[in-house]
Amino acid sequence: MTFHDLYETYPYFSIDVKKEQEVLRNHDLIVFQHPFYWNNMPPLLKLWQDEVLENGFAYGENGKELVGKEFLLSITTGGSADTYTAEGQNKFPVTDFMRAYEQMCSLCGMKWNPPHVLHSSRQNGHEEIYVHANKLKDFMSTFIERGHL
Ligand SMILES: Cc1cc2nc3c(=O)[nH]c(=O)nc-3n(C[C@H](O)[C@H](O)[C@H](O)COP(=O)(O)O)c2cc1C
């Protein structure tokens, strides 16, 4: 298992594409864990997606490196669960904003798993954060027990 902090690794946003692709090749489960920014991913992760998931690697006729891997999105949102309703500030269910991630999986041949969401992340106490972290840990443990990397 590899914990890879993009902001720590690339403070100047200069991504080592070949190295990142090698990391992806060596793992069966890819987890994006990040705060939701404008109902989307933070900018460095977007740049990573644009540069690392290139044609011929992640998609396209010869781009089959991610086929058969699994993907999990784990996010924290400042907004409460109520804000992600028709009457709430964000108007739509939080999963509606995840369609681009789901489509990324589909295009790359990765299996989409039900996302993990921690709402009201700035208001939560240790207990909620612990529950969220544990859920993620359990998911990964189960994955490893199934014989994956
Ligand atoms: C630039 C920016 C955009 C944000 N956009 C959203 C948003 O669209 N929806 C939301 O619920 N929270 C939003 N937030 C709040 C963050 O998601 C929240 O602060 C974060 O999940 C807290 O996690 P952290 O402590 O790891 O930063 C935004 C925060 C920043 C700085």
Side-chain angles (χ1 to χ4, degrees):
M1 194 191 316
T2 307
F3 176 76
H4 187 34
D5 183 335
L6 290 181
Y7 276 89
E8 189 179 66
T9 312
Y10 302 115
Y12 302 108
F13 281 46
S14 180
I15 295 172
D16 184 339
V17 172
K18 293 291 164 222
K19 194 173 140 204
E20 293 300 315
Q21 291 177 343
E22 198 51 32
V23 173
L24 288 173
R25 269 192 202 95
N26 291 333
H27 293 80
D28 295 339
L29 169 68
I30 316 299
V31 180
F32 284 3
Q33 161 68 56
H34 66 77
F36 231 19
Y37 280 5
W38 290 101
N39 295 310
N40 214 314
M41 60 184 77
L44 181 55
L45 181 56
K46 185 65 180 68
L47 184 66
W48 178 95
Q49 185 185 45
D50 294 348
E51 295 188 348
V52 177
L53 304 186
E54 62 186 354
N55 190 350
F57 173 79
Y59 71 96
E61 208 180 319
N62 300 311
K64 308 282 178 219
E65 297 285 352
L66 305 180
V67 172
K69 295 183 187 293
E70 294 204 22
F71 178 84
L72 176 70
L73 178 63
S74 172
I75 60 161
T76 56
T77 73
S80 65
D82 286 354
T83 67
Y84 285 95
T85 58
E87 298 75 34
Q89 182 179 264
N90 291 301
K91 290 198 166 70
F92 304 100
V94 69
T95 45
D96 278 17
F97 297 104
M98 297 173 179
R99 287 185 180 172
Y101 298 78
E102 211 171 333
Q103 175 53 19
M104 170 192 73
C105 281
S106 170
L107 187 67
C108 299
M110 291 193 285
K111 185 187 166 213
W112 173 256
N113 285 283
H116 293 191
V117 181
L118 176 66
H119 286 296
S120 310
S121 57
R122 287 286 159 103
Q123 272 91 52
N124 282 319
H126 288 303
E127 201 177 320
E128 288 91 345
I129 294 170
Y130 182 80
V131 169
H132 181 76
N134 245 10
K135 213 174 124 198
L136 191 54
K137 194 174 135 213
D138 287 348
F139 179 89
M140 290 194 280
S141 301
T142 309
F143 191 79
I144 290 165
E145 277 161 22
R146 277 163 41 207
H148 292 286
L149 293 173

